[in-house]
Amino acid sequence: MKSECLKEAFSELDMSSEVLEILMSPDKPYLRLSTFGNAGSTHADYPKDSDMVESFQCTQTQTNRYKLTLLKPSVKALGLSNKISIRTDYRGFLSLQYMIRNDDGQVCFVEYYCSPDEELDDDGDDR
């Protein structure tokens, strides 16, 4: 995904929320980022055929929540990056891989990992 897309999402989401919820699905909405803050809930959806999404692979629906305080340090790398890869494993561990081109034109990668904050059951309720 192009980094600009995620930069825009972070600017629109309610950062007073304690968690960021990431839904990935083989069906619509495909990729949804949600926050639940003082002003209510905010959602940002990304279709898999968007110009901002280069590749989308998802075989089953998965929803996980991550503490925003743990993700905020990764925003610095996001600001420097050109592209980002967002992945989760079957346990919900989040991997953010930022592709950064330095001043010499070399490509570098910064990876950021985060464990899920809460497990959700199929109804979206906390376990």
Side-chain angles (χ1 to χ4, degrees):
M1 154 182 289
K2 294 180 182 174
S3 293
E4 197 60 41
C5 184
L6 200 58
K7 289 176 197 174
E8 185 178 310
F10 276 142
S11 70
E12 293 174 4
L13 293 171
D14 184 355
M15 292 311 215
S16 71
S17 172
E18 289 187 18
V19 296
L20 171 68
E21 182 177 274
I22 300 177
L23 176 138
M24 291 186 191
S25 173
D27 305 308
K28 286 186 179 183
Y30 303 112
L31 175 62
R32 171 177 281 171
L33 305 177
S34 303
T35 54
F36 310 94
N38 299 331
S41 59
T42 307
H43 306 288
D45 293 344
Y46 300 94
K48 67 179 182 179
D49 55 355
S50 164
D51 290 343
M52 299 304 269
V53 178
E54 289 189 20
S55 175
F56 183 86
Q57 297 174 354
C58 181
T59 57
Q60 68 181 36
T61 301
Q62 188 175 20
T63 303
N64 295 290
R65 290 183 177 182
Y66 306 92
K67 284 195 179 294
L68 268 176
T69 55
L70 298 176
L71 292 175
K72 283 182 182 177
S74 74
V75 175
K76 188 171 186 176
L78 176 63
L80 299 171
S81 67
N82 304 93
K83 295 181 186 179
I84 180 172
S85 170
I86 303 171
R87 296 177 299 224
T88 59
D89 68 10
Y90 70 95
R91 300 168 298 170
F93 279 78
L94 177 67
S95 167
L96 301 172
Q97 183 182 59
Y98 300 97
M99 185 181 91
I100 300 170
R101 189 174 304 277
N102 68 16
D103 294 338
D104 297 334
Q106 292 180 307
V107 174
C108 306
F109 293 93
V110 174
E111 292 193 64
Y112 192 84
Y113 296 95
C114 188
S115 63
D117 182 42
E118 303 170 353
E119 289 187 28
L120 301 176
D121 64 20
D122 292 338
D123 297 329
D125 297 328
D126 293 343
R127 279 192 221 166

